[in-house]
Amino acid sequence: MANHPTGSVHTLARIELDPDGTGSVRNFRGLQGVLWDMDGTIVDTEPYWIRAERDLVESYGGTWTMDQATALVGQALTFSAGQLQQAGVDLGIRAIIDLLTDRVADDVRTEVPWRPGARELLEALRHEGIPCAMVTMSESLLANAVASRLPEGTFSHLVTGDRVSAGKPDPEAYQLGFDLLAADHPGLTKDRVVAIEDSLPGVTSALAAGLVTLAVPHFVPLPPDDRRTDWDSLEGRTPADLAGLLVPNPDTAALGAEA
């Protein structure tokens, strides 16, 4: 585990540093790094979460509607657990989080519901040497279950909901993800790093952290916002497409011409 002023994160085997050992930032047409949400972006776990929530509420004699479920998409688990308490679950916040996380992690171990294009884009970024970190409100147990099904070196760090003091839509998680990549790769700047999200709390967090923000809405539609870019899917997308989201500048124009 790697210590950080705002908490701890899981540090994984990383893409190799530059030959001189400095880890100086690389560029692919100006793109320096990518921060990835997990639920709804890399994997379609929302149906797993909703089923776990519904079963838990019903086990206490309550009811759980689709409207209640969709209102929790992208939220911090502490917030979600509080909503389940209001729906009649007579357990503490920690116990609710543990029960839900264990249930969804078991489902993921049985079958990983990959989102279209996510694995392929992650592999392409790895091939180009562009560092990636996962920034999710799910806890370490589930994040590791997903990350372990991807090639070693896909993610440098896993920033999870149990490792930050404030969950999305607060910017802390994305700020931490950026800080960790910047520590590994000197020269990283926020206008060269893309955050990929599917939910309103997620895009709000990424924008508040000052990152280039890409929304790929999935379970819940997002309101229009000209501060971000929206794609229908990651299927068929490439690192060059991500680099195309960046505002061109003279320093990266030459790199783009050479790529």
Side-chain angles (χ1 to χ4, degrees), residues 17-173:
L17 301 180
D18 289 347
D20 62 4
T22 65
S24 296
V25 68
R26 302 181 186 186
N27 280 273
F28 178 81
R29 303 186 184 183
L31 181 66
Q32 296 178 338
V34 183
L35 301 177
W36 288 77
D37 172 56
M38 184 182 76
D39 296 292
T41 300
I42 298 173
V43 287
D44 185 12
T45 49
E46 298 302 349
Y48 292 170
W49 284 107
I50 291 170
R51 183 170 60 197
E53 292 159 4
R54 184 190 65 238
D55 289 351
L56 182 56
V57 171
E58 290 179 352
S59 74
Y60 281 87
T63 58
W64 191 243
T65 68
M66 185 58 68
D67 284 345
Q68 288 172 300
T70 55
L72 301 187
V73 173
Q75 296 282 1
L77 285 176
T78 50
F79 176 85
S80 299
Q83 297 302 299
L84 292 175
Q85 286 179 327
Q86 293 185 28
V89 177
D90 188 18
L91 292 171
I93 294 292
R94 185 67 254 169
I96 292 173
I97 292 173
D98 288 344
L99 282 170
L100 294 177
T101 300
D102 287 347
R103 170 74 180 274
V104 176
D106 284 344
D107 287 340
V108 166
R109 293 187 192 102
T110 301
E111 180 180 0
V112 183
W114 301 106
R115 293 286 294 134
R119 281 185 296 176
E120 293 82 0
L121 182 53
L122 281 163
E123 176 59 27
L125 289 165
R126 183 173 177 270
H127 176 75
E128 296 295 345
I130 301 301
C132 293
M134 184 190 292
V135 180
T136 176
M137 289 298 91
S138 289
E139 297 202 341
S140 300
L141 177 68
L142 181 53
N144 277 297
V146 172
S148 68
R149 301 292 290 272
L150 292 163
E152 184 177 354
T154 297
F155 293 109
S156 300
H157 305 278
L158 305 182
V159 178
T160 55
D162 50 335
R163 306 302 182 190
V164 295
S165 59
K168 300 173 187 176
D170 189 275
E172 180 189 347

Side-chain angles (χ1 to χ4, degrees), residues 203 207 211-213 215 222-230 245 247:
V203 296
L207 287 168
L211 299 163
V212 179
T213 302
L222 300 182
D225 191 332
D226 59 11
R227 297 175 299 167
R228 67 171 197 259
T229 300
D230 289 10
L245 304 179
V247 176

